[in-house]
Amino acid sequence: MDSDTSRLSSEVSHHDETVSNELEEILTNNQSPYSKRLRLASWVELKLLFRLAAPAVIVYLLNNVISMSTQIFCGHLGNLELAAVSLGNNGIQVFAYGLLLGMGSAVETLCGQAYGANRYESEPANIASAAAVFVYGLIPQIFAYAANFPIQKFLQSQSIIAPSAYISAGALVVHLFLTWLAVFRWNWGLLGASLVLSLSWWIIVVAQFVYIVMGKKCRNTWKGFSLQAFHGLWSFFKLSAASAVMLCLETWYFQILVLIAGLLKNSEVELDSLSVCTTISGWVFMISVGFNTAASVRVSNELGAGHPKSASFSVVVVTSCSFIISVIAAIVVMIFRDSISYIFTEGEVVAKAASDLSPFLAATLILNGIQPVLSGVAVGCGWQSVVAYVNVGCYYLVGVPVGVLLGFKFNLGAKGIWSGMLGGTLLQTMILSWVTLRTDWNKEVEKAKNRMKTWDEKRQPPLPE
């Protein structure tokens, strides 16, 4: 069985390498007309891209739907419960999500290149108390995140994504059934809903780990637990810390919008309407995160393989695809702006407030079609520390202060807060676009080679069999 597995893995790797070489040859063939090269290269890249992006989008969408479904179930219990779940998810769940997803992206940078080569006390007491109950049940989920993201990135860096999609689909079915039982049949309330949510994430973690240990595709990359994992740990920690800061600042940014809204007058309606909009934004954002993953894997693989033109071309194609899909989503939101909130709650006041925020939601969706993909390029190249500084300046020195000023000083409420944050996102997107356009991809190939050389030098020699 081991020889068959080795042969299968070798064939898959050889196929990917052949296609990648084909793309680089097409792009560097100056004797062929530009239009022909563009057409052929686009076809090759789209095949590579969607083989990665489609399963990744499904994985992130399904994972997001698991959390969103809990919010929908609890929202139909009442506006207070909807606000509490929104506050609990944003205050605790998203904190851990951003931190641990960021740490996991360091795995994506190194494995990809190697494979190619909270202020609750100020808010209304009833909402804060209900959110606290919900948060208690999310504590096990934080530990599930810690295990899930490195495992997921380990698989994604090898273009093994479909199994995670099947696992997430199965977990979603179990989650919906158990949440329905907990909320409507057993009357366990918010605590029961959050405990089921934590359980569902642990199902995903265990299933993915079993696949790595028992599956054939990971036999050459997973050799079991070893002390070698601790060698070069400081270098990995520096990269993962930069990754964590970069993605934390991105993930937390719009969640701060919800937390600040808790300080506004009539905060329950503001929180509910923002919850509806940010949940929809988060769901569509998962599509861009899927393309983020595809961009990271494609760029890191091409850099590791020494293909600068392919890496550059991949950036253009993946960004264009993500942007087009996000524009379509924004148009759909504007068409159904008056009825979209009824998915989450039956309140007409909330529906009107959510409808008023729809233009801001649509603008956010369009920007999110570009920005996460550029962050994926940053992960593929290992630029996390640079992007972290950009995020601090754009988000927290511009976006949040301007949003607070417009929301409270000029009495624009949630619209003012969101306007300021949109400005920060626009500025960040413009800077990342400028950095990407000015990138010397030949130098990035050399950096990738040096990173792999440094990493190899720090590894302990293999133990004798």
Side-chain angles (χ1 to χ4, degrees), residues 444-461:
E444 292 302 321
V445 167
E446 291 302 315
K447 289 179 182 179
K449 291 180 180 178
N450 293 334
R451 183 178 289 115
M452 291 300 100
K453 181 179 179 181
T454 301
W455 194 258
D456 287 338
E457 290 174 352
K458 292 182 178 180
R459 289 180 58 197
Q460 179 178 322

Side-chain angles (χ1 to χ4, degrees), residues 107-181:
V107 177
E108 196 165 26
T109 300
L110 293 171
C111 289
Q113 291 184 355
Y115 191 74
N118 304 330
R119 290 177 61 186
Y120 296 107
E121 70 280 0
S122 300
E123 289 163 16
N126 59 339
I127 299 178
S129 298
V133 172
F134 184 78
V135 164
Y136 292 146
L138 293 183
I139 293 175
Q141 185 181 2
I142 296 174
F143 296 96
Y145 280 161
N148 177 68
F149 290 118
I151 290 174
Q152 200 172 75
K153 296 300 182 182
F154 174 76
L155 291 171
Q156 288 173 353
S157 66
Q158 303 171 69
S159 302
I160 304 173
I161 302 177
S164 294
Y166 293 128
I167 290 169
S168 295
L172 175 60
V173 173
V174 173
H175 175 76
L176 291 174
F177 177 67
L178 292 179
T179 303
W180 176 77
L181 287 176

Side-chain angles (χ1 to χ4, degrees), residues 71 74 79-95 118-135 138 190 255-263 267-268 270-272 274-276 278-279:
Q71 195 162 332
C74 294
N79 287 348
L80 173 63
E81 286 78 5
L82 177 60
V85 173
S86 174
L87 193 58
N89 272 336
N90 286 285
I92 298 296
Q93 186 186 41
V94 173
F95 174 86
N118 304 330
R119 290 177 61 186
Y120 296 107
E121 70 280 0
S122 300
E123 289 163 16
N126 59 339
I127 299 178
S129 298
V133 172
F134 184 78
V135 164
L138 293 183
L190 293 176
Q255 314 312 322
I256 290 175
L257 171 64
V258 177
L259 296 178
I260 295 176
L263 305 177
S267 59
E268 186 172 314
E270 296 280 13
L271 278 172
D272 285 345
L274 281 172
S275 173
V276 169
T278 55
T279 301

Side-chain angles (χ1 to χ4, degrees), residues 237-258:
F237 174 79
K238 288 190 292 184
L239 181 59
S240 64
S243 303
V245 171
M246 182 192 80
L247 287 177
C248 278
L249 294 175
E250 291 182 10
T251 307
W252 296 345
Y253 184 51
F254 273 94
Q255 314 312 322
I256 290 175
L257 171 64
V258 177

Side-chain angles (χ1 to χ4, degrees), residues 268-290:
E268 186 172 314
V269 173
E270 296 280 13
L271 278 172
D272 285 345
S273 60
L274 281 172
S275 173
V276 169
C277 291
T278 55
T279 301
I280 294 169
S281 174
W283 193 72
V284 178
F285 183 74
M286 290 300 108
I287 299 176
S288 297
V289 171

Side-chain angles (χ1 to χ4, degrees), residues 23-103:
L23 178 60
E24 189 72 11
E25 290 173 2
I26 292 172
L27 293 170
T28 55
N29 183 13
N30 293 325
Q31 296 180 350
S32 177
Y34 177 77
S35 59
K36 182 178 180 180
R37 280 186 289 154
L38 181 63
R39 185 176 67 256
L40 292 175
S42 297
W43 175 244
V44 173
E45 177 60 31
L46 285 171
K47 288 192 295 183
L48 288 168
L49 172 62
F50 279 95
R51 188 167 63 87
L52 290 169
V57 167
I58 292 172
V59 169
Y60 287 119
L61 282 176
L62 290 174
N63 289 348
N64 187 257
V65 168
I66 288 176
S67 296
M68 186 174 71
S69 63
T70 299
Q71 195 162 332
I72 292 172
F73 276 115
C74 294
H76 285 282
L77 294 176
N79 287 348
L80 173 63
E81 286 78 5
L82 177 60
V85 173
S86 174
L87 193 58
N89 272 336
N90 286 285
I92 298 296
Q93 186 186 41
V94 173
F95 174 86
Y97 189 97
L99 179 64
L100 297 169
L101 177 61
M103 297 291 282

